[in-house]
Amino acid sequence: MDLLLKPEQIKQIDHLCKKRLDRMPVQYIIQEWDFRDLTLKMSRPVFIPRPETEMLVDIVLNEIDRKGADTVLELCCGSGAISLALLKARSQLCITAIDKSEKACQLTRENAHINNLSDRIKIIQKEINEDFNLREKFDIIVSNPPYVSSKDTIQLQPEILLYEDPEALYGGDDGLTVIKSILKVCSCLLNYHGRLFLEVDPSHPTLIKLWLQKNDSLGLKFIRFYKDFCDKERFVEIIKEK
Amino acid sequence: MLRILTKPLKETYSCIIRTKTTLDHSKVPQIVESELQEQFVRGSGPGGQSVNKTANCVVLKHIPTGIIVKCHDSRSLDENRKTARELLIRKLDNIINQEESIEAQKKRIDDKKSATKRKKREKLTLLKTEWKKRENLE
């Protein structure tokens, strides 16, 4: 059946189309998007979850089941996609989610509320640096940190360059700056035999493995990488050994 | 007459209790991941954070049979991948099992239900007509 639009509706569509012509991402125009079985609110400039990251959730769920874990730490949570997807999938879980951006923390709080998961998530605004301390240790840590290198930043689509938070994307010259900070901090945050799961750029797994070997005082060992649906090395698994 | 079971039902009976409306899933084909070929629209380059595209269409090919299914129902790629596999199983089931496929079984049950309902309606209409006739006579 055909639907006849009222003039106000046509005006609204026009308004939305103008935004799209200005290269605003669809997710920011309609202010929502889906991630696995959740619908999340999207709010500029908080980073929009990418489809690859859905697979990271599966990888972490596997570890949660293997260990029988009931707590997880997420670093750089953004809109809260990973944490909330984990919470939705496992009712026994409680998660601590960290982001340095106040807007990201606020959005995560809203998304937790929308999806009735607020009672099992603790959201803390904190930056990852040498002073980072949580007074708690974890068996499982997950993160999708900023990992875009300067070379790749230049080639980003306008949708990303103009609208998404550059702090959520830029990982320094080689894309590893924030990742290295996370590795240092996780050395103290992980329990013995605890694991860290990261989403990274395809160029990173080999580099991370070498860096951890060189910086063995951290007591972290590279276990393996996982490929994404485009056959790119996208996720790394690291264990705390000492 | 009620018979009180002293043992739990599972121990007393070892067969599967099937009713008229239970579907037989025993013939539904299984798919093996290694026999599948998936295609996604993601563009060239490193992907991941450096791309923001909303196209989440999954094209799934079953290599042994050459059957292809497409799924773009949801905004989540993960959900589309799951749905594509369900679609593929349904398609394979229909082709391989034909009359015995889940869809064919469901259709038979539904057709039977509609036929029963129709007969009931017709009988009721007939009874009403006869009652009216009797009333008019009086």
Side-chain angles (χ1 to χ4, degrees):
Chain A
M1 201 163 83
D2 292 328
L3 182 70
L4 272 177
L5 296 175
K6 297 182 222 145
E8 314 91 73
Q9 288 173 314
I10 296 175
K11 242 191 200 164
Q12 197 192 16
I13 290 179
D14 215 41
H15 181 64
L16 296 171
C17 287
K18 279 204 178 74
K19 285 186 174 171
R20 188 66 194 108
L21 286 167
D22 282 339
R23 308 301 290 265
M24 184 182 280
V26 171
Q27 300 94 333
Y28 286 156
I29 298 174
I30 63 173
Q31 298 197 307
E32 66 171 48
W33 201 244
D34 290 349
F35 185 78
R36 286 172 58 101
D37 52 356
L38 289 164
T39 299
L40 299 173
K41 181 177 172 192
M42 294 288 125
S43 175
R44 176 186 180 188
V46 180
F47 184 77
I48 296 164
R50 307 300 201 242
E52 282 87 346
T53 315
E54 290 179 319
M55 192 180 156
L56 180 58
V57 175
D58 280 313
I59 294 171
V60 175
L61 283 173
N62 202 35
E63 178 68 5
I64 288 170
D65 293 340
R66 197 186 69 91
K67 271 221 170 84
D70 51 18
T71 53
V72 171
L73 172 67
E74 184 189 356
L75 301 173
C76 312
C77 62
S79 57
I82 297 173
S83 286
L84 297 173
L86 288 170
L87 287 174
K88 179 117 194 250
R90 296 293 183 271
S91 53
Q92 86 279 11
L93 268 186
C94 286
I95 297 187
T96 304
I98 315 268
D99 201 288
K100 77 174 186 186
S101 151
E102 193 199 322
K103 287 193 173 151
C105 289
Q106 182 49 34
L107 186 59
T108 301
R109 231 164 261 133
E110 283 179 63
N111 280 322
H113 179 73
I114 291 167
N115 289 282
N116 296 312
L117 297 165
S118 303
D119 56 336
R120 293 190 281 133
I121 187 168
K122 191 163 63 175
I123 301 158
I124 304 172
Q125 186 188 351
K126 221 172 162 73
E127 186 166 349
I128 297 164
N129 50 33
E130 306 91 56
D131 307 321
F132 193 93
N133 182 15
L134 279 181
R135 272 175 279 167
E136 198 185 335
K137 287 196 176 203
F138 298 85
D139 284 331
I140 300 173
I141 303 179
V142 62
S143 181
N144 176 20
Y147 61 69
V148 180
S149 65
S150 358
K151 157 174 76 73
D152 291 335
T153 307
I154 301 166
Q155 296 167 9
L156 292 178
Q157 341 156 209
E159 280 78 5
I160 301 176
L161 283 173
L162 296 173
Y163 295 93
E164 283 189 290
D165 185 1
E167 297 277 299
L169 287 151
Y170 187 58
D173 274 334
D174 55 5
L176 284 167
T177 311
V178 181
I179 290 175
K180 284 176 181 168
S181 303
I182 288 177
L183 292 170
K184 288 181 190 151
V185 141
C186 284
S187 173
C188 306
L189 287 172
L190 278 170
N191 283 323
Y192 180 63
H193 278 180
R195 288 175 206 233
L196 166 65
F197 298 88
L198 292 173
E199 180 179 318
V200 297
D201 181 86
S203 65
H204 289 167
T206 322
L207 298 172
I208 290 173
K209 185 174 182 179
L210 288 168
W211 191 83
L212 287 175
Q213 282 169 350
K214 239 170 68 175
N215 292 272
D216 58 355
S217 56
L218 292 174
L220 295 173
K221 184 171 165 206
F222 177 96
I223 296 184
R224 61 166 292 187
F225 63 79
Y226 297 79
K227 285 187 171 183
D228 66 22
F229 56 81
C230 290
D231 218 36
K232 300 205 156 86
E233 295 177 13
R234 182 63 61 192
F235 310 103
V236 298
E237 183 174 338
I238 290 160
I239 195 170
K240 169 79 179 166
E241 289 228 300
K242 278 189 273 178
Chain B
M1 205 164 87
L2 255 176
R3 189 156 58 98
I4 297 164
L5 289 170
T6 51
K7 275 194 252 180
L9 199 65
K10 261 193 269 181
E11 283 179 37
T12 320
Y13 300 101
S14 57
C15 64
I16 300 164
I17 300 166
R18 192 164 280 152
T19 68
K20 282 185 210 162
T21 53
T22 309
L23 297 168
D24 180 9
H25 290 268
S26 62
K27 294 204 180 94
V28 175
Q30 309 251 1
I31 48 174
V32 181
E33 279 298 317
S34 55
E35 289 177 345
L36 299 177
Q37 197 179 71
E38 260 178 319
Q39 224 179 12
F40 312 93
V41 180
R42 199 66 183 135
S44 55
Q49 287 175 359
S50 58
V51 179
N52 180 20
K53 297 224 188 295
T54 52
N56 287 321
C57 182
V58 176
V59 180
L60 189 62
K61 180 177 180 183
H62 186 239
I63 303 168
T65 56
I67 294 174
I68 297 176
V69 294
K70 232 193 209 184
C71 180
H72 200 174
D73 293 351
S74 135
R75 298 185 302 198
S76 155
L77 185 76
D78 197 58
E79 295 292 296
N80 287 341
R81 292 179 77 187
K82 291 187 178 126
T83 310
R85 279 157 178 77
E86 287 166 20
L87 279 172
L88 181 65
I89 291 176
R90 208 189 312 161
K91 222 172 179 180
L92 281 170
D93 187 28
N94 287 338
I95 291 173
I96 296 172
N97 296 322
Q98 295 176 345
E99 299 291 298
E100 297 306 308
S101 73
I102 297 288
E103 262 185 17
Q105 291 177 50
K106 273 187 183 160
K107 187 165 185 301
R108 274 200 298 275
I109 293 169
D110 284 341
D111 285 347
K112 212 174 178 187
K113 273 189 185 157
S114 331
T116 318
K117 277 189 183 156
R118 193 176 23 101
K119 279 192 188 135
K120 245 184 162 172
R121 271 199 312 272
E122 284 170 3
K123 190 175 182 187
L124 191 62
T125 315
L126 189 67
L127 285 172
K128 278 184 182 167
T129 325
E130 285 176 1
W131 178 86
K132 265 192 187 158
K133 262 194 206 151
R134 281 201 301 275
E135 293 300 300
N136 282 339
L137 282 171
E138 281 163 25

